[in-house]
Amino acid sequence: MPSLQSVISCLSDYDPSALRVDQANTIIRNVLEPVQGIEQLAIRAALDRVLADDVISPIDVPAHDNSAMDGYGFASQAAQDTAGDVVLEVIGTAYAGKAFEGAPTSAQAVRIMTGAVMPNGCDTVVPQELVDIQAGGNQIRFSRDAVRPGDNRRLRGEDLARGQAALSAGRILTPADLGLLASLGVAEIRVRRRLRVAFFSTGNELRSIGEALDPGCVYDSNRYTLHGMLRRLNVDLIDMGVVRDDPDAMEVAFRSACENADAIITSGGVSVGDADYTKQIMAKLGDVTFWKIAMRPGRPMAFGRIGSNGHEAMLFGLPGNPVAVMVTFYNFVRPALHRMMGASAAALPRVRVRSATPIRKRPGRTEYQRGIVAAGPNGELEVRITGQQGSGVLRSMSEANCFIVLGHDQESVEIGDMVEVVLFHGLI
Ligand code: AMP
Ligand code: MG
């Protein structure tokens, strides 16, 4: 694994006290490597797991040309050669799972059900709604213009051809993917092992739920937002609660986290002014940098690799403020954990919508305002910021359905300006 120093030395304008969001992400990405270890799982158990190898389709899907409708299969040439209505003799039925064995002539048709194999020589299906049934069901008549050649026929291999890559390594498996694998007859697949992530909160003012809230104290909420965000990533969680600001307790916690996890996430204690031991112990145990990132919220952050007794883990020291924790998690930790999981997940998609409110913004930092995207008066989507945007105001996050991302160089936004948003749907 490359050292932090060697990665940082490749950046031309590295300034740890005013690091741009994209620079921080570049450093993190270049230091990290996917963990090794693979498991073989039944496809049901593989939902949300990371595919270890490409899956090549062993068969054509569908395996035969078949009908997309309930109707009548026939050879389209017959209809092409007819001037008025097409009249065909019905000589049998093709069911899904029970093909029609004969070979109709150009004057004949076969009643066919959705999914049934196309009879020999038939290339088109006329839907049953478009035909007149005559001669007690033995004959059909329909307009020449009712269908074009090839209509309502699904071609063999049109979904996936044999030998084609159905899914690529690094994919996080979705419900659709499980169905796709089943459609190939694949029962088990190889996935990357789950990532183990330890996390704890630091700060002497923190109280756990159930404890008395002494004067000047707050309940530890980061433990719960981190729990929720990590659950969404389908990692194994090691929840270490609150660790007191005492050098021995801190060191024990970091060492135990190192020995049991691939990554450690802490919150609090990494600000420049912070008098606690968090930063000291982080630096003592490994190769850690302390950044001030040009962003809001979420300015202070520690990143690096720490070790104990031959075990190493990546460290993400997030700020303490509850909203800053969520913003830094989504910007830095989520892509980092994806990389460690071997996932090739793309960056979160950004959508441009009109701002229904003015937003104050200072150039020189990236801001993540919390917003609500909804249809405006003319039916088009627009976004407005949720109330108080302070980095401690978790309610602004809870009410929001998106981040409004205001780029590094962007200035204040006027009503009606287009802004970029990242929707929370499926994320938060
Ligand atoms: P820090 O980054 O440690 O200076 O903390 C910044 C602010 O976030 C302080 O007001 C802390 O009380 C608050 N804070 C830190 N950790 C937590 C936590 N786990 N839950 C809720 N608030 C926190
Ligand atoms: Mg603190």
Side-chain angles (χ1 to χ4, degrees), residues 13 15-25 291-301 327-328 331-332 361-368 405-410:
D13 51 348
D15 176 0
S17 62
L19 199 62
R20 286 201 321 266
V21 170
D22 58 322
Q23 291 178 313
N25 262 325
W291 290 332
K292 276 196 263 172
I293 303 180
M295 67 188 288
R296 200 171 104 133
R299 217 155 94 89
M301 192 174 122
V327 170
T328 48
N331 273 289
F332 306 114
K361 161 73 171 61
R362 216 176 68 194
R365 66 186 185 201
T366 307
E367 292 193 11
Y368 300 85
V405 185
L406 304 172
H408 190 83
D409 298 317
Q410 167 136 24

Side-chain angles (χ1 to χ4, degrees), residues 21 331 347-357 359 361 366-373 381-385 389 401-411 413-414 416-424:
V21 170
N331 273 289
L348 294 169
R350 291 189 183 178
V351 189
R352 285 173 67 78
V353 297
R354 217 166 281 288
S355 180
T357 42
I359 309 173
K361 161 73 171 61
T366 307
E367 292 193 11
Y368 300 85
Q369 306 259 351
R370 277 75 72 205
I372 299 175
V373 169
L381 289 183
E382 57 180 34
V383 66
R384 51 187 66 240
I385 50 174
Q389 295 284 303
N401 65 9
C402 70
F403 285 127
I404 305 169
V405 185
L406 304 172
H408 190 83
D409 298 317
Q410 167 136 24
E411 299 182 13
V413 173
E414 311 285 343
D417 285 355
M418 298 299 280
V419 290
E420 290 198 325
V421 305
V422 174
L423 295 171
F424 287 170

Side-chain angles (χ1 to χ4, degrees), residues 231-281:
R231 277 275 303 277
R232 288 268 158 98
L233 290 180
N234 198 22
V235 297
D236 280 341
L237 301 184
I238 304 170
D239 180 346
M240 300 174 66
V242 176
V243 175
R244 294 279 151 237
D245 192 21
D246 158 271
D248 294 334
M250 263 312 152
E251 181 161 347
V252 168
F254 274 115
R255 285 189 183 279
S256 150
C258 261
E259 288 163 28
N260 293 293
D262 303 300
I264 305 166
I265 302 172
T266 63
S267 69
V270 291
S271 309
V272 179
D274 258 320
D276 23 310
Y277 292 104
T278 313
K279 288 200 290 184
Q280 233 171 287
I281 306 295

Side-chain angles (χ1 to χ4, degrees), residues 100-104 118-122:
F100 176 78
E101 299 296 349
M118 291 295 282
N120 282 329
C122 296

